[in-house]
Amino acid sequence: MALLSRKDVDVNYTWDLTSLASDDQDAIQRAEQLTKDAVKFNDAFEGKLDTPEVAIEGINGLKKLSEELVLISTYASLRLSSDQSEPEAQKLSAVLGNTRTNYASNVSFFEGELLEKEDSFLNEVKNKAPEYKGYIDELLRNKPYQLDPKVEKVLANFSNVFSAPYSLYNITKLLDLDFGSIEVDGEEIPVSYLAFEGGLESNPNTEIRRKAFRQFYDTLKKYENTTAGTYDIQLKQEKTESDLRGFDSVIDYLLHKQDVSRELYDRQIDTIMKDLAPHMRRYAKLLQKANGLDTMKYEDLKIPLDPSSEPEITVEESRKYIVDALSILGDDYVDMINRAYDERWIDFVSNKGKSTGAFCSSPYGDHPYILITWSSLMEEVFVLAHELGHAGHFYNANANNNIFDTRPSMYFIEAPSTMNEMLMANHLLKNSEDPKFKRWVISSIISRTYYHNFVTHLLEAAYQREVYKMVDNYETVTASDLNRLKRKVIDEFWGDDVEITEGAELTWMRQPHYYMGLYPYTYSAGLTIATQMANRVLEEGQPAVEDWLEVLREGGKRDAVGLSKMAGIDITTDKPLKDTISYIGSLVDDLEKLTEEIDG
């Protein structure tokens, strides 16, 4: 069935953005006012930060401007995510892009001038306004890499240009690519990004799945050089800024933003590539046997172990499952979930031009917003629980911190989301005695939660690290380079147990994460923390829950190591990661036993 246009979908299953802006015109008018206010800020404070009191007044002003920018920028971003093809949404996005550039140009002087002050001046600011301790401490952390204020202003003026590669990537991906359709048993089946990622790549029918794979990847192949060129611009921009700021490596530059050591980054990739692969190869063999496949191919890796045991579920039914599973997190958390359904924080529909995948946007000063494409399969409950984990994180962090202290290190960002997936799985297992359903739940934990976060994104991370090695050598990255590196990583992980089909190397073209710095490895980092925390909740109950809620409220006031320690987890050692990989191995053991029991 062809995708509907946005105007034809049921509005009750779309998000309501009116608390961000009443309409496009309201957002544009507020953007114009914000630009004027940023100019006034510049006039009032540039060259005039003579006393700690004036500096505090400036931080107050910057805080107010930042809060308004977040609201109208989020409105424009979500409008475009709803339908990338809508001209009005594209126009609004361009307007807000210019607004962000003008804003950055007018306020960039502020941090540069503060950093020119003696440390004693900045410490006095902290003493007089302790609520801004986190803001000042972050400035001091960045001080060795700060450029002259005039250079910072020039870079700020180019911010719209620097974000262009990601915009171009999305235009190619969502507007230019036409995947056509496939025919199976006389039925014509449309292929698109949404259709492929929303069901075709995991379709239990081998002919449909493999034909869709071929059609999808053959189409991607036609655009590999354009997409590689777009990505290469992103990489060159990151390397240039890395060099300007005095970092030895672009990886060090990107990790500095996360306040994470190179040791934690490398360990996450190297340990999983080595230790997890044997467990996942066993899982692939189990999939092959259960589905009666002569050959286990790359395009078969996302099929369910037992599709007949996966219930179909409506949006309304999903609420009960999620509330029941997450009620352990307390009444306030459950209230947030119910508000998300009742007040239309969630966009469930499928329509032309809608962004793929799922995400949660949590603007400071408003509630979270979740994008998902509901397929009526039970696995969507895990996806929604995941995004509600992000929502619950920032619902708590935003309520308990100023805008400068809400966001934790990216290393930690996926912990609250994957924690919810673990709580959902534990709840479903505890409340069922049906071996087939239990097998479906466990296989979902592996195929969705762990495969997605520990395999899909880990293989992205291992590949991305190799790409950045080329970038650090000032090499231009071409499509053939990216294909070679991706193929090498996939081959290394799956070995001889999975046949890597021609085209699989183009998987790098599907991932938006490469335009977000070192994001991919953080999925497995977050899930490592979440696995250990979920086990604590199972074993200890309420005390562990209270620790976790305190972590969510802490926002970004501590680094990833500090937040993890609050949760009783020491990520400076490899124990949490090794324990998590062992846990995945035990899940595969359970699947093998349940399969023997079911097959009798």
Side-chain angles (χ1 to χ4, degrees), residues 15 74 78 336 340 345-346 357-363 367-372 383-395 398 407 413-414 417 519 523:
W15 47 28
T74 303
L78 297 184
M336 180 212 69
W345 299 3
I346 309 170
F359 67 74
C360 177
S361 178
S362 299
H367 59 71
Y369 295 84
I370 292 170
L371 178 141
I372 187 173
V383 179
L384 187 50
H386 176 106
E387 299 307 334
L388 283 164
H390 287 305
H393 186 187
F394 287 103
Y395 179 81
N398 290 352
R407 294 200 70 83
I413 211 80
E414 294 296 339
S417 53
Y519 195 177
Y523 281 87

Side-chain angles (χ1 to χ4, degrees), residues 90-233:
Q90 294 172 359
K91 176 185 173 184
L92 182 64
S93 179
V95 168
L96 264 296
N98 291 331
T99 300
R100 284 190 294 272
T101 298
N102 290 331
Y103 169 86
S105 175
N106 278 295
V107 306
S108 63
F109 77 90
F110 188 74
E111 293 187 354
E113 288 193 18
L114 279 180
L115 286 174
E116 289 179 335
K117 303 292 184 185
E118 297 291 334
D119 286 3
S120 59
F121 180 97
L122 296 175
N123 285 325
E124 193 172 347
V125 171
K126 283 198 292 185
N127 290 334
K128 289 179 179 293
E131 67 271 26
Y132 295 137
K133 178 184 182 299
Y135 175 77
I136 296 297
D137 285 346
E138 184 64 13
L139 282 185
L140 290 170
R141 194 176 74 85
N142 291 326
K143 191 171 185 175
Y145 309 104
Q146 193 76 8
L147 303 173
D148 182 276
K150 291 180 180 178
V151 179
E152 292 289 352
K153 185 168 185 174
V154 170
L155 289 176
N157 276 313
F158 276 100
S159 59
N160 217 13
V161 177
F162 292 159
S163 64
Y166 183 44
S167 298
L168 287 172
Y169 166 77
N170 274 324
I171 288 169
T172 304
K173 175 179 177 178
L174 297 173
L175 300 182
D176 286 350
L177 268 69
D178 182 354
F179 294 94
S181 60
I182 57 173
E183 186 176 314
V184 177
D185 295 331
E187 179 188 359
E188 187 173 341
I189 302 171
V191 181
S192 66
Y193 252 103
L194 280 175
F196 186 74
E197 295 184 349
L200 289 176
E201 70 174 335
S202 58
N203 194 297
N205 184 307
T206 301
E207 185 179 1
I208 291 175
R209 183 177 65 254
R210 291 183 176 176
K211 273 194 171 182
F213 175 91
R214 189 73 279 141
Q215 182 83 357
F216 185 84
Y217 277 88
D218 284 351
T219 304
L220 286 184
K221 181 74 176 173
K222 297 174 186 176
Y223 292 82
E224 64 176 345
N225 294 308
T226 301
T227 307
T230 302
Y231 183 31
D232 187 54
I233 296 170

